[in-house]
Every structure is written in C-alpha cells, then in structure tokens.
C-alpha cells in the first residue's frame, strides 16, 4: 500500500500535468458562467463561512451549476444542497477523490469560473479541472501561487468578518442575510437525544489555548440546570481529556466525540442554547440557527464573529475586543495590519490569559441577551459582565 506522502506527491504531479495541459487554452472572464467551481480544502468553520459566497453566487447566477470541493468528512453537510451547491470530496492523499473530481470535470466540460478562497495553491486544482477563469484573493505567499490565478481580488482595508471577505469573491453580488432554511439539515443516523429542554456545552477545541477553565464550565452547567435547562456536554473525538477534566463523574449527559457532524447538527437543532469556544462548532451553531454564545480568546471576534451575513442570527461573542497578545496580523499567510489574532502553540504560550479574561458573569450575561427568560438580577447588575460581552446589533 503506498504511503500517504507518496500518494500526495503522485496526486500533485497529476494535478500539475493536467493544469499545464488546460493552461494552453483561451482564458477569459465569463459573462454568465454556466458552471462554477469553489476550490478549497478548508476546515469545518471556514467551510461553513463560505455560506455568504454561495448565497451571492446563487443570487448572481441563478441557473448555474455550482460545485464546491471540501474535505471528505464535510461532504454530508451538503446533502440538502444549500443554495443549490453540490459538494465533492477532495483530499490530495486519497487518489480516489481526485479521480472522481476529474470525472465530474470531464462530464461538465470543465468550469467557466473558479473561485479560490483561502490558499491560492488550490488554483492548481481549479486549472487541472478545466477552469477557464480563476479568481482568488490577492497577496498569497509564496508569490507563485498568485500567478496561477487570472484575477486577484483585494482584501479589505478595515476589520471585516471572514465570511464577508469570502463573499467578496462574488462581487458585485451581495449575499443578503442568512436564514436557517437556506441550509437544510443533513440526514443523520439515530442517536439517543436528550429529553426535555437542554443546552449544549461544547468544551473541546483544536488547541488547549482555547479551553475555558473547568470551574467555569461546571458553574455554568449548574446555573443552566437551575434555570431549567439540562446541560449536555460535547467535544470532538480527540478532545475527551478536556471533558474528563470538567465532569469526571458524569454528572450530566455527554457526547464525548461520539457524534458525526450530521448528528451534531441534529443535537444543536434541538437545543435551546449552544456555548462553545471559537471553533468550527460555533460556526455550525450559526448555520443551524441555535442561539450561540462563542468564547473568544486567541481568535478575533471581528474576524470570526457574525459579521454582516449572520447579523440577524442569535449569536453573541464573549471576550475582550482587543487583547494585548492578540498581536499577530496574518490570515491565510497574508499580512493584514487590521487583523488581531494569536496563532501561537502551547509551546510558545504556556498560559492562555485571553481565555482567563472570559469571565463567567460575562458568559451568563450573553446567554441572558439571547434568552431573556433566563435573566436574573445577579446577571444584569454585574459590572464586569458588560465590558466583555459583544453582541452584534
């Protein structure tokens, strides 16, 4: 069996050969594209933040066949064809995904237009799939990736939500505002759902620097239980240690990495509330439409919050708007002076002071802003709560 590295190298060589062959043809911007490709392999949260791009493309090209690539694990989320978009699996380590993409491109006769959000190296994939015009965001590094594109769109000069930046690839069309009906729920395998009103507390994150203090999670669970909501723990498959450190005795029901994404969608759809760190699950909450309180530490509320597209969603960002060590200014390898985030590893940062700054009263106040029936005197009168709660108008 070939190693993953050998499979990846072979896949890249195949992409390069096909891209060179397609580069010989004419390249011109389409006036009314019949086929559109969105080429990427983003993580869960960034993939969901493509929703306004899909919405804008559908508004501008109502009859177009819109195809997006994505990581294989995310394909089921597109089962309901949001905005009429079809999702095809793409993993350079899995030759069968490339073979399926090549076959679909042959069937369609290539793509009139391809858009590349994020890493411009995926313009190579777009060209290999017969895309006749490729537009992407400018200033990727190294510069050779930009040379693969026919058109480079500028980045905003002022703080802008990433979802709205993605949507700018479809300019001049505007995406409008999100409604949960725009992204139908995917079918999911049966699982034991909580009975009665419940709140999902998703405690996991890709980095321990995004973890909230166990004592805060415990106190929040007790508070929600006192308000009549059953706390339900959740985390990803590789994040069970974080959950064990919060509720080792199993006081409350838990899904310790046992749900796939479609099942997690269904769990959130039935919840009254979701509280989670700034991870892909927070963006899933916005798509599902569950009232979501997102805890921001290393990440930027301005960059990864609701933005314009989700401005009407029941979403509250909690955390300091500006934190001293949130001082890195890169996004997809582009240097953007207005970006404020921290991408340090636990080896570089032994103590996540940004997450320590997320107070329990601030989270409780954010919950009360979304679910006023849970508000109480001690929530509305706490002077520390208002200073770190950021709820989009």
């Amino acid at each position: 069996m070939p190693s993953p590295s050998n499979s990846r190298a072979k896949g890249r060589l195949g992409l390069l050969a096909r891209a060179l062959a397609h580069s010989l043809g004419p390249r011109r911007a389409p006036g009314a594209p019949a086929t559109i490709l969105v080429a990427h392999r983003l993580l869960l949260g960034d993939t969901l933040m493509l929703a306004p791009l899909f919405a804008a493309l559908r508004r501008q090209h109502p009859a177009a066949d819109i195809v997006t690539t994505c990581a294989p694990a995310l394909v089921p989320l597109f089962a309901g064809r949001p905005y009429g978009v079809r999702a095809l699996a793409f993993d350079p380590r899995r030759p069968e995904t490339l073979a399926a993409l090549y076959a679909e491109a042959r069937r369609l006769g290539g793509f009139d237009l391809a858009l590349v959000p994020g890493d411009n190296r995926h313009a190579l994939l777009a060209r290999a799939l017969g895309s006749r015009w490729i537009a992407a965001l400018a200033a990727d590094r190294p510069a050779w990736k930009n040379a693969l594109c026919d058109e480079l769109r500028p980045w905003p000069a002022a703080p802008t939500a990433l979802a709205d930046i993605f949507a700018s690839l479809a300019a001049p069309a505007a995406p409008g505002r999100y409604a949960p009906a725009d992204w139908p729920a995917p079918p999911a395998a049966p699982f034991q759902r909580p009975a009665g009103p419940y709140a999902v507390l998703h405690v996991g994150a890709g980095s321990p620097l995004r973890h909230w203090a166990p004592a805060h999670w415990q106190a929040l669970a007790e508070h929600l239980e006192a308000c009549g909501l059953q706390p339900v723990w959740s985390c990803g498959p590789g994040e069970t240690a974080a959950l064990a450190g919060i509720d080792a005795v199993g006081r409350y029901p838990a899904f310790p990495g046992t749900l796939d994404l479609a099942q997690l969608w269904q769990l959130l759809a039935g919840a009254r509330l979701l509280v989670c760190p700034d991870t892909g699950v927070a963006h899933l909450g916005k798509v599902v439409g569950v009232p979501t309180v997102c805890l921001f530490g290393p990440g930027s509320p301005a960059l990864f919050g609701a933005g314009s597209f989700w401005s009407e969603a029941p979403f509250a960002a909690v955390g300091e708007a500006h934190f001293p060590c949130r001082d890195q200014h890169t996004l997809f390898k582009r240097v953007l002076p207005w970006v404020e985030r921290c991408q340090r590893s636990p080896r570089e940062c032994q103590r996540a002071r940004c997450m320590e700054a997320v107070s329990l009263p601030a989270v409780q106040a954010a919950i009360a802003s979304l679910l006023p029936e849970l508000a109480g005197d001690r929530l509305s009168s706490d002077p520390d709560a208002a200073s770190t709660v950021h709820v989009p108008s």
Side-chain angles (χ1 to χ4, degrees), residues 9-306:
K10 184 177 180 180
R12 285 176 177 171
L13 288 173
L15 279 176
L16 181 59
R18 289 172 180 268
L20 288 173
H22 286 292
S23 295
L24 301 176
R27 291 157 67 170
R28 57 182 179 273
T35 51
I36 301 174
L37 172 68
V38 180
H40 72 94
R41 197 169 71 90
L42 297 166
L43 298 176
L44 171 63
D46 291 343
T47 298
L48 295 173
M49 283 190 283
L50 292 174
L53 173 59
F54 298 146
L57 287 173
R58 182 54 65 202
R59 277 191 166 195
Q60 190 172 10
H61 308 291
D65 185 1
I66 303 175
V67 175
T68 184
T69 62
C70 66
L74 307 185
V75 171
L77 295 181
F78 289 82
R81 298 281 297 273
Y83 306 103
V85 173
R86 297 188 293 124
L88 300 177
F90 168 51
D91 185 339
R93 299 164 298 183
R94 294 172 54 176
E96 70 275 14
T97 66
L98 286 170
L101 287 171
Y102 295 148
E104 181 64 7
R106 284 194 301 270
R107 186 184 74 81
L108 295 175
F111 294 91
D112 296 324
L113 172 66
L115 302 175
V116 181
D119 193 328
N120 285 358
R121 64 181 169 143
H122 295 309
L124 187 66
L125 171 67
R127 190 70 73 199
L129 297 178
S131 300
R132 289 173 279 278
W133 189 262
I134 301 174
L137 294 164
D140 201 355
R141 297 182 297 175
W144 64 263
K145 294 191 285 187
N146 302 313
L148 298 170
C149 307
D150 301 302
E151 182 180 358
L152 294 172
R153 306 279 172 82
W155 289 83
T160 306
L162 180 58
D164 299 330
I165 295 173
F166 284 155
S168 71
L169 280 170
R177 297 291 185 270
Y178 180 74
D182 296 338
W183 197 309
F191 65 97
Q192 188 63 44
R193 306 189 189 198
Y198 64 91
V200 175
L201 306 182
H202 187 88
V203 304
S207 167
L209 297 177
R210 295 176 185 263
H211 289 172
W212 202 34
H216 288 344
W217 282 119
Q218 293 163 1
L220 179 61
E222 292 171 359
H223 166 71
L224 292 172
E225 185 179 37
C227 291
L229 287 181
Q230 170 72 66
V232 176
W233 303 118
S234 170
C235 67
E239 303 162 354
T240 54
L243 179 53
I246 295 169
D247 187 3
V249 300
R251 178 176 177 182
Y252 300 116
F255 294 94
T258 56
L259 301 181
D260 61 30
L261 288 175
Q263 291 172 317
L264 181 58
W265 180 306
Q266 297 294 340
L267 178 69
L268 298 183
R272 292 284 310 282
L273 173 72
L274 166 66
V275 182
C276 62
D278 170 30
T279 67
V281 173
H283 302 294
L284 184 60
K286 288 187 293 188
V287 171
V288 171
V290 59
T292 298
V293 174
C294 182
L295 316 182
F296 280 91
S300 163
L303 188 59
F304 302 115

Side-chain angles (χ1 to χ4, degrees), residues 231-378:
V232 176
W233 303 118
S234 170
C235 67
E239 303 162 354
T240 54
L243 179 53
I246 295 169
D247 187 3
V249 300
R251 178 176 177 182
Y252 300 116
F255 294 94
T258 56
L259 301 181
D260 61 30
L261 288 175
Q263 291 172 317
L264 181 58
W265 180 306
Q266 297 294 340
L267 178 69
L268 298 183
R272 292 284 310 282
L273 173 72
L274 166 66
V275 182
C276 62
D278 170 30
T279 67
V281 173
H283 302 294
L284 184 60
K286 288 187 293 188
V287 171
V288 171
V290 59
T292 298
V293 174
C294 182
L295 316 182
F296 280 91
S300 163
L303 188 59
F304 302 115
S308 175
F309 185 65
W310 273 289
S311 59
E312 297 176 3
F315 179 88
V318 183
E320 298 288 348
H322 306 281
F323 201 80
C325 56
R326 199 187 289 149
D327 57 359
Q328 295 176 318
H329 308 291
T330 59
L331 178 64
F332 294 115
K333 298 185 179 179
R334 281 78 159 184
V335 178
L336 303 172
W338 58 264
V339 167
E340 297 179 0
R341 61 190 304 212
C342 173
Q343 302 176 80
R344 295 176 177 88
S345 70
R347 288 185 298 176
E348 299 170 291
C349 175
Q350 286 77 45
R351 179 181 171 188
R353 290 178 174 84
C354 54
M355 287 301 294
E356 293 175 7
V358 179
S359 72
L360 178 62
V363 173
Q364 291 174 317
I367 292 171
S369 74
L370 298 178
L371 302 175
E373 64 271 24
L374 300 186
D377 291 339
R378 71 186 184 93

